[in-house]
Amino acid sequence: MAMHVLENEFLKVAVADAGAELSSVMDKESGLERLHDANPEVWNRHAPILFPFVGKVVGGTYRIGDKEYEMKTQHGFARDMEFEFVEADEKHIVHRLLPNEHTRTIYPYEFELLVTHELDKENPRLLNVKWEVKNNSDDTMYYFIGGHPAFTTVEADPKAKEEYYLEFVGCDSIEYFGVSEKSGFATPEETKTVALDNGFLKFNEDVYITLIFDDFKFGKVRICRPDKTPYVTMDCSQFTSYGIWAKGNGNFICLEPWAGRTDNDGFTGTIAEKYGVNILEAGECKTIRHSIEFHK
């Protein structure tokens, strides 16, 4: 599998052609790998890009107007496709994804997705991620896009993450919901409101189900060590939804910026009626960014 590397005095970052997936972030100062190793016995991903859907669609099908299409896979198809390597230098890597014969049967748009990973010029511990989506079709295009990076804890013991904290910078309280344990789809009617301690939320069992935040009102989310010092900070202020997820047998926590999300449980509408859908008219392009800081 082809891999491309960015490196500075603090971080060594690897991005694969497969899925344009951020596959490794080595902290050169501590010697710690900061991303999950994609062990298939735990979870076989590092940081997949979710496109053109985030999550699942009810029944494995969706409608554009009166026409029905299959989307049997979760999170669309980009994460499982080979991207074209466009260019790279010592600070940035660019990949491109275009449609093919198969994608056109399940997603009938002439899209272009450009993915850029870039080490920040000012902060050597900051990685910037940019997604550019273009509609090369003649028709209005609907899409969703998101990230799913899994950040390892310092400790190898999967139980150790339960001593970590999530910090919602500048927030006194948060509202979130999960997914139905039966169907796996979103249940916004079961929203919880939780008071925070100076922005901090102790890791709790809801994270194993998935925390989903709609109408995202905070710009930064952190994973903090048991002593509440920052470990990973994600700036996701451009996103409308957010997800946080972990697995009981994994020593990682996922911070997931989403522009759109999985269907509500029992959803029956068209793609244009899905929560958080993004719309591009013919020839239009939209850029969305987030950044990840790997604290010392």
Side-chain angles (χ1 to χ4, degrees), residues 181-236:
E181 292 190 50
K182 182 178 179 180
S183 70
F185 293 102
T187 55
E189 69 278 4
E190 298 176 9
T191 296
K192 297 181 180 181
T193 301
V194 179
L196 301 177
D197 178 12
N198 292 317
F200 291 97
L201 174 70
K202 182 74 180 295
F203 187 98
N204 66 52
E205 291 185 356
D206 285 356
V207 180
Y208 292 130
I209 299 171
T210 300
L211 308 186
I212 299 177
F213 303 84
D214 276 350
D215 302 320
F216 202 48
K217 296 181 176 66
F218 36 91
K220 291 184 179 180
V221 181
R222 289 192 181 116
I223 299 171
C224 293
R225 299 177 178 89
D227 65 0
K228 295 186 177 180
T229 57
Y231 182 60
V232 174
T233 298
M234 181 179 287
D235 186 328
C236 41

Side-chain angles (χ1 to χ4, degrees), residues 52-53 56-73 76-77 102-109 142-144 263 267-272 274 277:
F53 288 89
K56 301 188 294 183
V57 298
V58 171
T61 62
Y62 69 98
R63 296 197 325 276
I64 301 173
D66 295 328
K67 190 166 183 180
E68 187 171 275
Y69 296 88
E70 287 192 350
M71 187 55 63
K72 301 297 186 184
T73 56
F77 48 70
H102 171 66
T103 67
R104 292 183 182 102
T105 66
I106 58 176
Y107 184 68
Y109 296 112
Y142 302 92
Y143 72 96
F144 308 81
D263 281 352
F267 178 78
T268 59
T270 68
I271 191 172
K274 292 178 184 288
V277 65

Side-chain angles (χ1 to χ4, degrees), residues 4-293:
H4 307 274
V5 175
L6 301 174
E7 191 169 3
N8 61 24
E9 63 267 43
F10 294 106
L11 300 177
K12 184 176 181 179
V13 175
V15 182
D17 288 349
E21 185 174 8
L22 179 64
S23 300
S24 173
V25 178
M26 177 61 65
D27 188 325
K28 295 167 69 173
E29 194 168 13
S30 68
L32 181 68
E33 173 58 60
R34 304 296 293 267
L35 287 184
H36 173 56
D37 63 3
N39 178 354
E41 294 183 4
V42 181
W43 186 56
N44 64 340
R45 311 279 182 176
H46 306 280
I49 296 170
L50 319 179
F51 176 86
F53 288 89
V54 173
K56 301 188 294 183
V57 298
V58 171
T61 62
Y62 69 98
R63 296 197 325 276
I64 301 173
D66 295 328
K67 190 166 183 180
E68 187 171 275
Y69 296 88
E70 287 192 350
M71 187 55 63
K72 301 297 186 184
T73 56
Q74 180 166 267
H75 299 314
F77 48 70
R79 64 181 185 167
D80 298 315
M81 293 184 66
E82 192 79 4
F83 279 62
E84 173 194 355
F85 169 64
V86 177
E87 64 180 27
D89 59 23
E90 68 277 6
K91 295 300 180 184
H92 84 289
I93 299 168
V94 182
H95 284 91
R96 177 189 289 116
L97 183 66
L98 296 171
N100 60 30
E101 184 177 350
H102 171 66
T103 67
R104 292 183 182 102
T105 66
I106 58 176
Y107 184 68
Y109 296 112
E110 295 300 311
F111 66 85
E112 180 176 357
L113 172 60
L114 280 174
V115 176
T116 303
H117 292 87
E118 181 179 39
L119 287 170
D120 194 77
K121 296 175 183 178
E122 303 296 329
N123 181 350
R125 286 189 163 274
L126 189 70
L127 179 68
N128 298 309
V129 183
K130 179 172 68 173
W131 299 323
E132 299 170 79
V133 183
K134 185 175 181 181
N135 179 13
N136 292 323
S137 307
D138 294 329
D139 300 320
T140 301
M141 173 175 147
Y142 302 92
Y143 72 96
F144 308 81
I145 191 166
H148 201 318
F151 302 106
T152 58
T153 56
V154 174
E155 304 83 3
D157 180 4
K159 293 292 289 183
K161 66 179 175 293
E162 297 182 7
E163 298 303 314
Y164 279 62
Y165 288 84
L166 300 168
E167 183 183 2
F168 302 86
V169 179
C171 293
D172 297 320
S173 65
I174 54 173
E175 293 184 351
Y176 67 82
F177 53 90
V179 297
S180 165
E181 292 190 50
K182 182 178 179 180
S183 70
F185 293 102
T187 55
E189 69 278 4
E190 298 176 9
T191 296
K192 297 181 180 181
T193 301
V194 179
L196 301 177
D197 178 12
N198 292 317
F200 291 97
L201 174 70
K202 182 74 180 295
F203 187 98
N204 66 52
E205 291 185 356
D206 285 356
V207 180
Y208 292 130
I209 299 171
T210 300
L211 308 186
I212 299 177
F213 303 84
D214 276 350
D215 302 320
F216 202 48
K217 296 181 176 66
F218 36 91
K220 291 184 179 180
V221 181
R222 289 192 181 116
I223 299 171
C224 293
R225 299 177 178 89
D227 65 0
K228 295 186 177 180
T229 57
Y231 182 60
V232 174
T233 298
M234 181 179 287
D235 186 328
C236 41
S237 55
Q238 296 185 5
F239 290 80
T240 54
S241 291
Y242 205 77
I244 300 178
W245 173 75
K247 289 198 73 174
N249 62 340
N251 67 324
F252 63 83
I253 301 170
C254 292
L255 301 181
E256 305 182 36
W258 296 339
R261 60 161 171 79
T262 193
D263 281 352
N264 289 339
D265 198 20
F267 178 78
T268 59
T270 68
I271 191 172
E273 298 169 313
K274 292 178 184 288
Y275 180 86
V277 65
N278 300 277
I279 302 172
L280 286 176
E281 299 302 333
E284 285 189 337
C285 181
K286 184 176 181 180
T287 298
I288 193 165
R289 297 176 173 86
H290 65 283
S291 65
I292 307 166
E293 183 171 4

